[in-house]
Amino acid sequence: MASGLGAFRRQSGFRLRAALFLGVGLGLTGAALIGYGTNVFGQLENETVDARFSVRGVEKPPPELILVHLDDESYGEIQQNPIPREYHAAVIDRLREDGASLIAYDFQFTEISDDPVADDMLVEAVRRARRVVLATTEVDELGRTNIFGGNIPIGARPANALLPPDDAGVLRRVPHSVDGLESFAVAAAEMTTGKQVDPKEFPDDGEWIDYHGPPGTIPSVPFAWVARSQTPRDFFKDKIVVVGASVPSLHDVHPTPTGENMSSAEIQANAISTVLRGLPLHSAPRELNIGLVFLLGMLAPLVSLVAPLRWTLGVAVTAALGYLVATQVLFETGTVVSFVYPFGALVVATVGSIGAHYLLAAFERERVRGVFSRFVPDTVVEQVLARTDDDLRLGGVELFGTAMFTDLRGFTSFAESLPARTVIEIVNVYLSEMSDAILAHGGTLVAYMGDGIFAVFGAPIEQDDHADRAVAASREMLAVRLPRFNAFLREQHGNDGFRMGIGLNSGLFLSGNVGSERRLEYTAIGDTTNTASRLEGMTKGTPHMCFVSDTTRNALTREADDLVFVDEFEVRGRQAKAKLWALPDPEEPPSDEEAVESERGAIA
């Protein structure tokens, strides 16, 4: 029956702990999942992707990809805006003559210029080159463009150069098509390979552009050099050439995940490379991200169910570091997993678990306070709580102290003739007197056994003068407390009073809490306490009310001149005889409280 009750209490304690930690875990993880579903920290999530690009560093671009850019030098040389179209015609002719496999031209020609001859030159250059992708950002409702007035030469192909910026204006993704017209990168990839790019491979918001690195990573040649044919022969042979502006004054530069503004042409070149390589960078499935949020969000609470706070922190820190590494490894193998929401779930759930640990610790401290405040002075309670921050259950600790057992002689027979209520009243008066004496001298009340008392000195907090305190408490009990109790009996119940027995013994004993999750009791066990109990029993039939063992006398830090040697006695359970000393019985009770104060001052 007792074991069943203990199991029930343990289960109740675990249920409370489980409810608290699971509630914290499910609540905070649920909040993280809602955040993921609404993408409330979408911009922050994107910035973590930028960080992954930075950690990965520069990756070598495909050797067949090259950039012809209108830089400051070229723009300064031409000194016209827009660039005269005969320059564009010259560049296209030069690239065709040099054997370029594809010309991806990131300049728009949707308007007629002031020079019809130059317009015709450009159209003819495109017609001769044939494999040209022409950029535009203006498309009608049917996906048609006005490039060259809608008369695009055979072999050339229009494409939408728009890339969707995120909330911060950063260009991170390439779509399959925009407004019904294939994107610039997709058109260039299809013209290069001769194969269609499956639009199902692209999410609704576009796929990640796998940037090779910061601006300048893709090899480039100034626009003016090509227009003047200053590049070596066959320099562009079999190359995919992206032509565009990089001069900042034309406002065709944009923020990218690399942390720097990049020209539109180089962004398009990175997007073309991404499509040609089969879209190597893609977001993890939504189900995986949700699973990661739940797993990391519940990790700390689940560990807290069965482990102390330091283990929770250790596992959480390890998981955080592991997830940091895992996200980077997955990124470098082509998978972009969510970082902010799983990592955030781990952090907030860990913080919540820490709070729950401290809440449970506060409950436990109050429980320990409740246990010890009944048996020890308040100052000792505070010392116990300060000492047991890591383990409020106080495992068994071996201490050297003094054990005390007391008993009221002949009270059982006297009580048989009295009503139970009266007996309880008398016992409480007696126990209050004796308990106050013990507590006043820094002792710890371990248990009441009817009218008997079990107390220890020097535990749970060590006291160098534990023996002095025990002897001083015994003096006060015999000289002050017992006479006052007997006076109460004479006045209230017409009884002459009783004698009592006290046994004191010093030595090593185990001190600590015993019990269940629901109920704690402080106790002390060992041969030292057993011997003290037997010494108290040995006072029966002797003229002495207090026996003090030789170990207690030797443990005194001050002389006790009133101790009287009695004799050597055999003590049950011990092989060798024990030397016993006794405190003299008091002759007359003191008339005021001065005797009490003098006893307490003796050990101050």
Side-chain angles (χ1 to χ4, degrees):
M1 180 68 178
S3 62
L5 181 59
F8 171 76
R9 288 173 173 171
R10 286 192 295 272
Q11 291 173 4
S12 299
F14 181 79
R15 282 197 295 268
L16 173 62
R17 187 180 184 91
L20 181 59
F21 283 111
L22 290 179
V24 166
L26 292 173
L28 295 177
T29 301
L33 287 171
I34 292 173
Y36 174 74
T38 58
N39 201 27
V40 66
F41 295 115
Q43 188 54 45
L44 182 60
E45 185 72 78
N46 286 334
E47 291 174 2
T48 69
V49 178
D50 299 350
R52 286 173 245 186
F53 273 114
S54 178
V55 172
R56 187 183 72 176
V58 176
E59 289 200 334
K60 188 176 180 180
E64 66 274 12
L65 188 64
I66 193 167
L67 181 66
V68 173
H69 63 125
L70 182 69
D71 60 356
D72 287 320
E73 177 186 348
S74 302
Y75 190 62
E77 181 178 317
I78 298 171
Q79 293 185 342
Q80 293 185 57
N81 186 25
I83 305 300
R85 291 187 174 179
E86 60 263 29
Y87 281 93
H88 294 298
V91 167
I92 293 174
D93 279 336
R94 172 59 178 157
L95 295 174
R96 173 185 58 80
E97 293 167 359
D98 214 34
S101 64
L102 176 74
I103 302 171
Y105 221 83
D106 192 23
F107 285 97
Q108 293 197 65
F109 305 116
T110 54
E111 304 292 339
I112 298 174
S113 74
D114 296 333
D115 188 349
V117 175
D119 288 349
D120 290 340
M121 291 174 60
L122 176 57
V123 171
E124 286 301 310
V126 172
R127 182 185 61 78
R128 287 190 294 269
R130 298 182 67 85
R131 296 174 60 78
V132 180
V133 177
L134 297 171
T136 185
T137 57
E138 298 177 11
V139 182
D140 66 16
E141 63 276 5
L142 298 177
R144 297 175 302 195
T145 75
N146 197 39
I147 298 174
F148 298 149
N151 298 313
I152 301 175
I154 296 174
R157 185 171 180 176
N160 201 318
L162 285 175
L163 294 173
D166 61 19
D167 293 340
V170 181
L171 301 182
R172 292 187 169 90
R173 295 178 177 271
V174 55
H176 179 272
S177 58
V178 180
D179 296 331
L181 183 64
E182 285 188 339
S183 67
F184 192 77
V186 170
E190 288 182 343
M191 186 169 281
T192 298
T193 62
K195 298 178 181 179
Q196 292 293 311
V197 176
D198 188 354
K200 295 180 181 178
E201 296 294 325
F202 292 77
D204 292 340
D205 57 348
E207 191 55 277
W208 295 98
I209 300 175
D210 189 14
Y211 284 90
H212 290 286
T217 301
I218 296 176
S220 62
V221 177
F223 184 90
W225 290 14
V226 181
R228 296 194 306 262
S229 298
Q230 288 182 312
T231 55
R233 187 172 181 81
D234 295 334
F235 185 79
F236 296 103
K237 186 174 178 59
D238 298 327
K239 301 289 187 182
I240 301 170
V241 185
V242 181
V243 185
S246 63
V247 58
S249 60
L250 294 181
H251 307 293
D252 202 14
V253 294
H254 307 276
T256 64
T258 65
E260 301 178 54
N261 287 343
M262 184 180 291
S263 70
S264 176
E266 189 167 2
I267 294 173
Q268 293 290 1
N270 277 282
I272 292 170
S273 173
T274 298
V275 179
L276 284 173
R277 288 181 287 131
L279 305 171
L281 200 59
H282 58 275
S283 296
R286 187 177 182 85
E287 295 77 13
L288 175 59
N289 288 329
I290 291 174
L292 288 171
V293 172
F294 187 81
L295 176 64
L296 292 183
M298 293 302 298
L299 181 61
L302 290 176
V303 172
S304 298
L305 280 177
V306 295
L309 176 59
R310 59 181 179 272
W311 277 98
T312 300
L313 291 175
V315 170
V317 170
T318 301
L321 294 176
Y323 195 64
L324 278 169
V325 174
T327 54
Q328 186 63 38
V329 171
L330 288 171
F331 178 80
E332 296 188 14
T333 57
T335 302
V336 181
V337 295
S338 175
F339 178 80
V340 170
Y341 301 101
F343 193 83
L346 173 63
V347 171
V348 298
T350 300
V351 172
S353 296
I354 292 172
H357 272 289
Y358 277 106
L359 182 61
L360 287 176
F363 289 156
E364 188 73 2
R365 287 175 69 87
E366 289 306 310
R367 183 163 63 169
V368 171
R369 185 188 297 276
V371 170
F372 279 95
S373 61
R374 293 178 294 165
F375 303 117
V376 299
D378 290 340
T379 54
V380 176
V381 173
E382 295 303 323
Q383 293 180 62
V384 170
L385 293 175
R387 174 176 292 189
T388 57
D389 281 339
D390 292 333
D391 185 6
L392 289 171
R393 287 189 58 82
L394 275 183
V397 178
E398 190 173 54
L399 297 170
F400 192 94
T402 299
M404 169 191 284
F405 276 83
T406 74
D407 188 43
L408 191 61
R409 300 285 182 246
F411 182 76
T412 301
S413 299
F414 168 72
E416 289 177 352
S417 60
L418 297 175
R421 183 173 180 177
T422 302
V423 173
I424 293 298
E425 177 189 353
I426 295 173
V427 168
N428 284 339
V429 171
Y430 170 76
L431 293 179
S432 296
E433 287 283 0
M434 301 307 163
S435 298
D436 288 348
I438 292 169
L439 293 175
H441 290 277
T444 298
L445 290 167
V446 178
Y448 293 128
M449 301 159 290
D451 55 40
I453 299 174
F454 173 24
V456 291
F457 295 79
I461 301 299
E462 297 91 334
Q463 296 165 327
D464 294 336
D465 58 346
H466 54 85
D468 303 86
R469 292 173 180 271
V471 171
S474 299
R475 288 196 191 99
E476 182 174 328
M477 294 163 77
L478 295 176
V480 179
R481 303 292 181 167
L482 181 63
R484 191 154 60 196
F485 171 69
N486 286 334
F488 160 78
L489 286 178
R490 284 193 295 272
E491 179 180 345
Q492 298 293 328
H493 300 282
N495 185 281
D496 290 337
F498 301 96
R499 291 171 63 81
M500 66 181 297
I502 302 175
L504 300 180
N505 185 45
S506 301
L508 290 172
F509 54 82
L510 286 176
S511 165
N513 280 335
V514 296
S516 70
E517 292 290 335
R518 296 287 301 275
R519 171 84 175 171
L520 290 177
E521 292 291 346
Y522 176 75
T523 191
I525 57 176
D527 181 66
T528 297
T529 60
N530 295 338
T531 299
S533 176
R534 287 163 186 151
L535 294 184
E536 178 273 315
M538 290 171 62
T539 61
K540 295 178 182 178
T542 73
H544 306 291
M545 287 193 288
C546 177
F547 275 166
V548 179
S549 72
D550 200 45
T551 56
T552 299
R553 182 176 179 275
N554 292 335
L556 293 171
T557 61
R558 291 176 295 276
E559 290 294 331
D561 297 334
D562 55 344
L563 283 179
V564 178
F565 178 70
V566 180
D567 203 345
E568 291 188 4
F569 292 89
E570 291 184 356
V571 179
R572 183 166 54 88
R574 299 177 63 91
Q575 294 181 353
K577 289 185 177 181
K579 293 181 179 180
L580 298 184
W581 303 74
L583 284 174
D585 290 355
E587 297 180 358
E588 294 293 336
S591 59
D592 52 39
E593 297 296 326
E594 293 181 357
V596 176
E597 297 301 326
S598 65
E599 286 294 331
R600 296 178 186 174
I603 63 169

